[in-house]
Amino acid sequence: MDFEELRHHAHRQVDWMVDYLSTLESRPVRSQIRAGSILSQLAPSCPSQGEPMERIFADFEHILMPGITHWQHPRFFAYFPANSSPPSVLAEMLTATLASQCMLWETSPAATELEMRVMQWLRELLDLPEVFTGSIQDSASAATLCALIAARDRATAGQAARAGIAGAQLTVYASADAHSSVEKAVRILGIGSNHLRKIPVDAEGGMDPGALEASITADRGRGLIPACVVACLGTTGIGANDPLEPIGQITAREGLHLHVDAAWAGSALILPEVRSRLRGLSAIDSFVFNPHKWLFTNFDCSAFFMRDPQRLVNALTLTPAYLESSLGGNTPEYRDWSVALGRRFRALKLWFVMRSYGAEGLRALLRNHIAWTERLSGLITGDDRFELVAGPNLAMLAFRLKGGAMHSDAQVDALNERLLERLNGAGRIYLTRTRHRGRTVIRFVIGQTYTQWHHVEQGWDEIRKAAEELMAQSLREAETPY
Ligand code: PLP
């Protein structure tokens, strides 16, 4: 394909992109296909001769698009959002065109220096301690892994990277509701799941600091080496917060690294009214949140801040002759700040987004999501067939359909599973479940760029209608008297 053909197809694709985004509402949110149906339509081996772009694009539309779950759909209320925005899309087009590899200052000076600047902007917006420096990682999972590498370095006085941890029985602490990425990191680092302490949570879902302290003391008594506490702001299940202030006092006293996983909720720290409710950020050692979740920046973009990046850099720096470069002077060589050597130019989309919306524009969008979640919680509590189980926590809540007096917990759980499947199967709304205190609950998260209050209202109407149908069906089937 020559450059004029590229121009021709790019123009067509831009038209397609805008048509797609502006008609997204008419598509089912969750893909309605069965497993294997895409694979069976794909050529079993690579074509020996090149094919025309028209044919490739037609297959994209006809074969692949039915297998897309539409994350930018305004009625996507599942998981946590992975929202995008027009300025972010524009930046990604440039990133793909430049196709820079940003491992060293020398390989992409603008990428390194823009990353330094946008991370400083973000740090100021979140009001994180001024000593923090940041880098952009591909995911919160990778950032938590890096935080644990730094913690491991500190707990072993810098020995672990070279000597390994065979003789050092390190332990890590996180709440029972922490994200699975913490346990994955512990496994990758050779610390092992058995040395991850899952600390109980209180009634609100936050880590119990007393239980944390008791666990650290017990481990020291056994000759183990406590290394890190991972606290969470905005748990994946119900959006709960671990109490940073008492946890920070414990980690300071015990000399442990305190990492904060705020993958979703961290974006809300750009709101002064949210920050003022949160104490304890001054005592933390590292912090991650995902602009690719709730700050309108395409996946992947994870903002990772460290008080002392040198521990991580010490552990990861390896400089074979082919990577030697001194042109960057005192700027960071970000290749030493993450697992992969190669890095995408992720700062560009963040810069486009932050400049295009401005801090106030971003705040206004998040405030809408939070206000609509509160409004939705009022609708749920006003309907006695439903129960608000958790929240609203920022822009998420969890609810369930109540059972009748004679229903067992298991029957109510099954009813909610059926409600969820009915809703997601119909495709007009997408929600996901979690288990909360051993019971099935349905999560509702508002965070899409294109969502408006009427989409939330439509979502609630769908839920009420599906619940009515389900109850009527239950009666007809006489499974259980409703
Ligand atoms: N931490 C929390 C609290 C999360 O909710 C998630 C994902 O939803 C993650 C970590 C993992 O994020 P990532 O996909 O960026 O690794």
Side-chain angles (χ1 to χ4, degrees):
M1 186 185 294
D2 65 26
F3 293 143
E4 282 314 308
E5 283 176 273
L6 170 63
R7 187 191 307 280
H8 167 74
H9 291 296
H11 282 151
R12 281 190 49 194
Q13 271 181 221
V14 168
D15 285 341
W16 183 93
M17 286 158 54
V18 176
D19 290 346
Y20 167 75
L21 288 172
S22 54
T23 58
L24 201 43
E25 275 190 51
S26 61
R27 298 180 188 251
V29 192
R30 190 183 75 175
S31 168
Q32 305 285 298
I33 63 155
R34 282 198 306 278
S37 69
I38 301 282
L39 192 60
S40 64
Q41 297 178 73
L42 299 172
S45 42
C46 173
S48 58
Q49 304 299 320
E51 297 182 69
M53 191 44 65
E54 281 76 9
R55 199 187 308 154
I56 301 171
F57 194 77
D59 283 351
F60 163 74
E61 278 201 294
H62 298 121
I63 301 178
L64 298 185
M65 281 308 288
I68 295 293
T69 288
H70 301 285
W71 281 73
Q72 305 312 314
H73 198 297
R75 289 190 302 274
F76 183 106
F77 303 118
Y79 301 100
F80 279 139
N83 64 23
S84 172
S85 61
S88 182
V89 172
L90 290 173
E92 280 288 56
M93 289 163 73
L94 299 179
T95 302
T97 306
L98 297 172
S100 305
Q101 220 282 34
C102 311
M103 57 189 177
L104 301 171
W105 181 91
E106 182 176 341
T107 63
S108 194
T112 297
E113 295 187 15
L114 186 60
E115 185 160 337
M116 294 168 71
R117 185 59 84 212
V118 291
M119 292 306 286
Q120 175 218 319
W121 286 6
L122 271 186
R123 177 178 56 66
E124 287 168 9
L125 282 189
L126 270 62
D127 204 19
L128 290 174
E130 216 172 298
V131 297
F132 274 43
T133 22
S135 64
I136 305 181
Q137 306 271 335
D138 58 6
S139 61
S141 304
T144 293
L145 177 66
C146 287
L148 283 168
I149 292 172
R152 187 186 66 171
D153 188 78
R154 174 169 165 183
T156 59
Q159 294 306 304
R162 283 150 198 89
I165 55 163
Q169 301 265 289
L170 304 183
T171 47
V172 172
Y173 306 80
S175 97
D177 289 347
H179 191 262
S180 55
S181 52
V182 179
E183 185 158 358
K184 195 186 258 188
V186 159
R187 289 184 180 188
I188 292 169
L189 289 173
I191 294 170
S193 291
N194 293 347
H195 285 157
L196 173 64
R197 308 293 182 229
K198 296 184 179 174
I199 307 298
V201 295
D202 62 19
E204 267 74 55
M207 190 193 296
D208 173 355
L212 169 68
E213 191 157 30
S215 182
I216 293 172
T217 306
D219 284 336
R220 287 211 195 280
R222 290 186 200 109
L224 303 174
I225 306 172
C228 185
V229 176
V230 181
C232 184
L233 295 180
T235 56
T236 317
I238 60 157
N241 296 330
D242 291 334
L244 294 187
E245 207 174 28
I247 294 174
Q249 287 161 4
I250 296 169
T251 50
R253 212 163 39 238
E254 297 282 342
L256 269 62
H257 183 110
L258 175 52
H259 173 60
V260 174
D261 172 5
W264 163 71
S267 293
L269 295 192
I270 70 169
L271 302 175
E273 63 271 28
V274 170
R275 271 201 319 271
S276 64
R277 294 201 301 263
L278 188 76
R279 293 213 304 278
L281 275 176
S282 56
I284 68 175
D285 294 292
S286 55
F287 180 95
V288 63
F289 89 102
N290 285 346
H292 73 227
K293 275 189 165 48
W294 196 21
L295 211 61
F296 315 100
T297 309
N298 279 56
F299 186 84
D300 54 352
C301 184
S302 191
F304 178 46
F305 294 93
M306 303 197 83
R307 182 182 294 279
D308 178 9
Q310 208 46 49
R311 289 192 185 284
L312 176 67
V313 172
N314 284 347
L316 297 188
T317 299
L318 288 165
T319 311
Y322 44 81
L323 289 178
E324 279 170 9
S325 167
S326 56
L327 294 182
N330 289 330
T331 56
E333 293 296 12
Y334 284 126
R335 72 182 168 111
D336 297 326
W337 294 51
S338 50
V339 174
L341 168 65
R343 310 178 83 246
R344 280 161 37 72
F345 190 179
R346 299 191 188 95
L348 190 67
K349 55 192 168 187
L350 203 46
W351 192 55
F352 269 46
V353 168
M354 290 171 84
R355 291 187 61 184
S356 175
Y357 286 99
E360 283 309 323
L362 295 170
R363 288 187 185 115
L365 289 172
L366 297 196
R367 283 186 180 123
N368 278 342
H369 297 160
I370 293 170
W372 295 338
T373 311
E374 271 164 25
R375 224 165 136 184
L376 173 66
S377 79
L379 296 179
I380 295 174
T381 47
D383 188 326
D384 59 12
R385 293 166 303 177
F386 291 90
E387 181 185 359
L388 182 70
V389 183
N393 288 324
L394 297 174
M396 82 174 288
L397 53 76
F399 69 96
R400 76 174 143 239
L401 186 56
K402 287 182 201 165
M406 63 286 288
H407 282 87
S408 67
D409 285 357
Q411 284 172 321
V412 177
D413 286 354
L415 194 65
N416 279 280
E417 297 284 351
R418 284 173 67 192
L419 174 64
L420 191 66
E421 206 29 62
R422 180 178 284 260
L423 286 165
N424 291 341
R428 286 185 290 277
I429 176 175
Y430 189 19
L431 297 168
T432 42
R433 82 169 74 65
T434 191
R435 301 283 291 178
H436 178 59
R437 298 198 191 120
R439 302 284 311 281
T440 298
V441 296
I442 301 176
R443 303 161 70 262
F444 198 118
V445 190
I446 303 176
Q448 281 315 316
T449 313
Y450 310 110
T451 301
Q452 295 296 321
W453 167 245
H454 73 265
H455 296 111
V456 180
E457 268 184 318
Q458 283 167 7
W460 174 235
D461 277 351
E462 291 294 330
I463 294 168
R464 284 185 16 239
K465 265 191 274 160
E468 273 157 27
E469 284 164 16
L470 198 58
M471 289 171 185
Q473 192 184 340
S474 286
L475 271 179
R476 274 199 308 277
E477 291 169 3
E479 275 178 8
T480 45
Y482 217 96

